[in-house]
Amino acid sequence: MTEPFEPINTVAGPGEAKANAQTLARILSEVFPEAVTESGIDFEALKQLVGEEALPSTAEKFGLSWPGKAASRRLALLPPTGTLLPRPEESVEWDATKNIVIEGDNLEVLRLLRRGYAGKVDVIYIDPPYNTGSDLVYHDSRVTPKDEFETQVGERDGEGRLVKNTDASGRRHAAWLDMMHPRLWAARDLLKDTGVVIAAIGDDEHAHLRMLLEQVFGAENFISDVVWQGGRKNDSRYVSNGADYMLIYAKNEAILAANSVRWRERKPGVQEALEMAQHIWDEENADHANAQKRWRKWLKEFKASGVPTDAVTRYTTLDGTGRPVRNDGNISWPGGGGPRYDVLHPVTKKPVVVPAPGWRYPDPATMQREILAGNVAFGVDHTTQPGMVNRLEELDRQVAVSVFERDRNVATVALNTLFDGNAPFTAPKDVNVLARWIDLVSSGNRDAVVLDFFAGSGSTGHAVMDLNVADGGDRQYVLVQLDESVDHPEYTTIADITRERLRRAGKAIADTQGLNAGDLDLGFRAYRLAESNTRKWDGTTGEQSLEDAVASAVDNLLPGRTTDDLLVEMMLRLGLELTTPVEQQDVAGSPLYNLGAGTMFAYFGTDITVEESKQIAQAIRTWRDEEGPVTEAAVVVRDTGFADSAAKLNLAAALNQAGITNLRSI
């Protein structure tokens, strides 16, 4: 008899080997149908179709290679085996927020997120371990607590001390690449086709990471290798290597180009300058001479602060309305050979000097319109060549350069201030730098989804909140941080610090914004990686009696897990976002969950009888009808939740009768 509720573990997600095979088979069936059978792809037939053009697996090719590369690539193709446990007590504004913070090994977390977030992330920013000789604390099969796992695999000695990953082992770089390789592949699946990844790195693995990114994203999608000069090391023997790097790749640069995407940012100091010019003009009651004097004095002091670029401080003149302008713009014809005609000086009424290449404007009528619009500035008399007027507010965007300087101690001081003078994290990333580059590569998208799976102290989340404050955006962040232990009296792991930093940053913003903070998302949902909520019986009894072992197998929910935990696992397996709206009502003694306004219903009650199955089916049907028409509602139940097979069949039949045929079990 066919099982009426299909187990959700038969579902394959994007980027997983099974889904890749299905996609490839679908494509081949259209062009080479003889290479596809009922069982899958016939690779021998495919080789015959391409003949001698087929490359042997041993063929030499250019690229980065290391022992273990193939095995590490396969890790990204595996389906997830764990789950995420919701932690509302560690969260801020659980019901209202769209931000997510996850504690656990990021490879398994990325595999879990891939189904619900594939093609939905705009920007990935990561700051992975620089591999400077310290321990690598990421493992590719871990869903248990970190210390427990390290003991199991022998990475801690008898006294619990870590075995070092040193240069002497000959595995330092290979181990680092083994760690990064599957994570980058899994993360790539989460990016939109217009998405961008920024990977920060130091000298130790800079070359290797660039080559690895070329393989994962393609050399054709390279954007920039940004150099961040963060300080000087005066004790260096040869050269002060104080730079870090940010490697930037598009998922598909051709799509960006086809969409005419151009990354531009506001020149530093423009907004402050515009606001001060207006303030001075108003205070001086439009007295041009006094306003001009005050403006130039302020501009000189502003330049000394180091905030603005020279491009801003060159706007030393206020026009007749108090706006900062430059009157020395090039008014000549590009390349020479332009039109030549008389232009009279407004005071002397004599023709002014014509530029050697000719006028920029093609005829006297066009020139006159530009003069009347205030776009041409004349000198004191006709002997001086006029200039084109450039206004600061019109020229406030610029292309970013690939080298910049900013002292890294600024970030340390800021974090120390946030934690009342006792920062629990060393070398945090600069929130202002992250905000700048995230905004730039997302073209100022106020709804961008930003992922950081090496979250550290949470700088990326803080930067996203700051961007939303600056422009009223609704950006979201998804942060993943390993449960790496720290030696601190108040915090057990770095993930504890991540969450506390975000709590403090959100509160600081709320305090500063006051009533204006009402529309800002300053919260986050906290989750922790764990093994699956359900267990499979392997046929052994252990220390249990056979009767108890069978009973435990029937009740497949792990001790201590709740239906809310099971709901999250179901969402992850079936590709729903973690922040999908969820409502619930009590039916037959257990919660009936409604996800996405009737898109999916879930019921995880136990010992469901035939009579109760009728109640559940009716409740689902009524709720679905209240929500209005949906494309296709799905229903998920607990596989072992029925008193007998009759109850399960009855529920399936009642749902089918109501037009609900997408039935799943967990």
Side-chain angles (χ1 to χ4, degrees):
M1 183 177 63
T2 304
E3 172 62 44
F5 292 86
E6 183 181 356
I8 65 172
N9 58 16
T10 62
V11 178
E16 296 170 16
K18 183 178 179 180
N20 291 345
Q22 292 171 346
T23 301
L24 182 58
R26 187 168 58 252
I27 295 172
L28 288 174
S29 66
E30 296 177 0
V31 290
F32 300 121
E34 59 267 52
V36 181
T37 69
E38 292 182 359
S39 303
I41 302 170
D42 186 341
F43 285 98
E44 286 302 321
L46 188 60
K47 287 181 181 179
Q48 293 174 13
L49 285 167
V50 296
E52 296 180 357
E53 296 300 318
L55 290 175
S57 59
T58 55
E60 294 183 354
K61 53 187 130 180
F62 178 79
L64 180 64
S65 184
W66 69 93
K69 177 182 177 181
S72 69
R73 174 66 179 98
R74 287 193 292 270
L75 290 171
L77 303 175
L78 297 175
T81 59
T83 188
L84 300 179
L85 299 181
R87 290 290 180 262
E89 69 280 2
E90 297 177 349
S91 308
V92 177
E93 299 292 338
W94 173 277
D95 292 327
T97 187
K98 294 181 180 179
N99 300 317
I100 296 170
V101 180
I102 302 170
E103 177 177 337
D105 186 87
N106 52 15
L107 178 56
E108 177 66 7
V109 172
L110 288 170
R111 289 189 292 226
L112 282 166
L113 294 177
R114 185 160 51 186
R115 297 187 181 186
Y117 290 85
K120 295 181 179 178
V121 172
D122 295 278
V123 180
I124 293 176
Y125 174 88
I126 56 171
D127 182 23
Y130 284 11
N131 203 20
T132 56
S134 57
D135 308 306
L136 277 179
V137 292
Y138 287 83
H139 303 280
D140 297 331
S141 60
R142 182 171 74 82
V143 293
T144 54
K146 177 174 173 290
D147 290 348
E148 179 183 330
F149 179 89
E150 289 167 345
T151 301
Q152 291 171 356
V153 299
E155 293 192 356
R156 289 186 181 271
D157 60 20
E159 297 181 7
R161 294 172 299 197
L162 276 172
V163 177
K164 298 290 184 181
N165 177 38
T166 62
D167 283 323
S169 70
R171 282 279 302 160
R172 176 183 163 202
H173 296 294
W176 188 86
L177 288 167
D178 280 344
M179 182 270 294
M180 290 296 297
H181 192 208
R183 287 163 174 80
L184 288 174
W185 274 112
R188 183 183 181 277
D189 292 324
L190 274 65
L191 276 178
K192 292 180 179 177
D193 288 339
T194 54
V196 176
V197 60
I198 305 174
I201 198 65
D203 284 316
D204 293 83
E205 298 293 351
H206 176 238
H208 294 144
L209 180 58
R210 179 162 181 176
M211 294 185 73
L212 186 59
L213 287 166
E214 302 264 306
Q215 292 189 357
V216 175
F217 289 90
E220 68 277 10
N221 293 312
F222 169 76
I223 301 295
S224 186
D225 189 350
V226 177
V227 180
W228 175 357
Q229 180 63 43
R232 181 181 296 274
K233 300 177 181 178
N234 289 321
D235 58 347
S236 297
R237 182 182 296 274
Y238 305 112
V239 175
S240 173
N241 294 320
D244 283 343
Y245 310 90
M246 291 192 296
L247 291 160
I248 304 178
Y249 283 77
K251 185 175 182 180
N252 193 325
E253 189 276 333
I255 291 179
L256 296 182
N259 291 339
S260 301
V261 172
R262 290 181 178 272
W263 294 347
R264 295 293 184 269
E265 62 180 349
R266 197 159 208 185
K267 294 175 182 177
V270 167
Q271 189 60 38
E272 296 94 324
L274 291 173
E275 290 174 357
M276 180 53 68
Q278 186 64 52
H279 174 71
I280 291 173
W281 188 257
D282 291 343
E283 279 201 344
E284 295 298 332
N285 295 316
D287 184 318
H288 189 272
N290 288 338
Q292 180 73 63
K293 183 177 179 181
R294 280 187 59 186
W295 167 247
R296 290 181 174 174
K297 180 176 183 296
W298 178 85
L299 202 60
K300 184 177 180 180
E301 295 170 351
F302 190 39
K303 181 178 181 179
S305 72
V307 173
T309 63
D310 288 343
V312 174
T313 56
R314 290 193 186 105
Y315 285 81
T316 58
T317 301
L318 297 181
D319 68 6
T321 62
R323 294 182 296 176
V325 298
R326 288 180 59 183
N327 294 328
D328 56 354
N330 189 352
I331 202 168
S332 60
W333 188 270
R340 305 179 69 84
Y341 47 81
D342 286 345
V343 175
L344 302 182
H345 190 275
V347 175
T348 67
K349 307 301 181 182
K350 294 182 178 180
V352 298
V353 176
V354 179
W359 293 113
R360 171 180 291 270
Y361 306 116
D363 52 61
T366 303
M367 172 66 81
Q368 189 60 31
R369 284 198 300 270
E370 294 298 320
I371 293 172
L372 293 175
N375 296 329
V376 178
F378 290 90
V380 292
D381 58 32
H382 57 279
T383 62
T384 305
Q385 182 178 298
M388 191 165 63
V389 176
N390 293 322
R391 296 176 178 84
L392 181 58
E393 72 266 22
E394 296 172 353
L395 302 174
D396 65 341
R397 311 296 288 184
Q398 64 182 5
V399 66
V401 295
S402 61
V403 179
F404 71 96
E405 291 189 30
R406 183 171 171 87
D407 192 336
R408 290 190 190 86
N409 288 328
V410 172
T412 302
V413 171
L415 188 66
N416 201 46
T417 301
L418 189 64
F419 278 85
D420 303 321
N422 187 27
F425 192 89
T426 58
K429 280 300 180 184
D430 192 311
V431 170
N432 292 326
V433 171
L434 268 60
R436 175 196 174 195
W437 286 94
I438 289 171
D439 193 45
L440 178 74
V441 304
S442 63
S443 298
N445 180 6
R446 298 184 181 187
D447 297 311
V449 177
V450 182
L451 169 67
D452 182 350
F453 52 92
F454 290 98
S457 69
S459 299
T460 300
H462 194 163
V464 169
M465 288 190 286
D466 278 356
L467 283 172
N468 286 339
V469 170
D471 62 13
D474 193 29
R475 299 171 185 83
Q476 307 168 41
Y477 62 77
V478 179
L479 307 186
V480 186
Q481 175 54 45
L482 184 70
D483 52 335
E484 183 179 351
S485 300
V486 292
D487 183 15
H488 194 280
E490 297 180 45
Y491 307 101
T492 304
T493 67
I494 292 179
D496 291 332
I497 298 172
T498 308
R499 290 185 290 266
E500 180 60 21
R501 193 260 182 83
L502 295 171
R503 293 186 195 104
R504 289 172 177 254
K507 184 178 184 304
I509 291 171
D511 291 344
T512 302
Q513 294 295 309
L515 295 176
N516 294 327
D519 295 330
L520 295 172
D521 185 353
L522 303 177
F524 62 87
R525 290 189 176 192
Y527 296 85
R528 294 199 182 194
L529 178 66
E531 61 180 316
S532 173
N533 292 292
T534 60
R535 56 187 168 193
K536 296 180 180 179
W537 187 36
D538 59 6
T540 62
T541 61
E543 298 181 357
Q544 293 179 302
S545 66
L546 179 60
E547 182 180 356
D548 290 340
V550 172
S552 297
V554 171
D555 183 12
N556 64 344
L557 191 65
L558 288 180
R561 302 293 175 86
T562 67
T563 55
D564 284 349
D565 297 334
L566 204 56
L567 179 71
V568 171
E569 182 166 354
M570 179 212 74
M571 294 170 68
L572 292 166
R573 292 286 192 270
L574 295 180
L576 275 71
E577 295 182 23
L578 289 170
T579 54
T580 299
V582 179
E583 298 178 84
Q584 69 179 70
Q585 59 181 248
D586 187 78
V587 177
S590 293
L592 171 63
Y593 299 98
N594 177 350
L595 295 88
T599 302
M600 185 175 293
F601 295 92
Y603 189 83
F604 303 128
T606 58
D607 297 321
I608 300 171
T609 64
V610 171
E611 187 59 37
E612 288 171 337
S613 69
K614 296 177 182 178
Q615 297 177 37
I616 297 165
Q618 183 58 48
I620 292 173
R621 180 173 186 170
T622 301
W623 208 348
R624 180 205 58 182
D625 293 344
E626 290 174 353
E627 293 288 2
V630 294
T631 304
E632 183 184 7
V635 173
V636 183
V637 298
R638 188 168 166 181
D639 185 53
T640 59
F642 297 87
D644 50 41
S645 59
K648 180 184 284 189
L649 290 170
N650 187 80
L651 178 59
L655 291 171
N656 287 336
Q657 188 176 11
I660 301 174
T661 58
N662 187 357
L663 309 179
R664 299 276 185 175
S665 66
I666 184 170

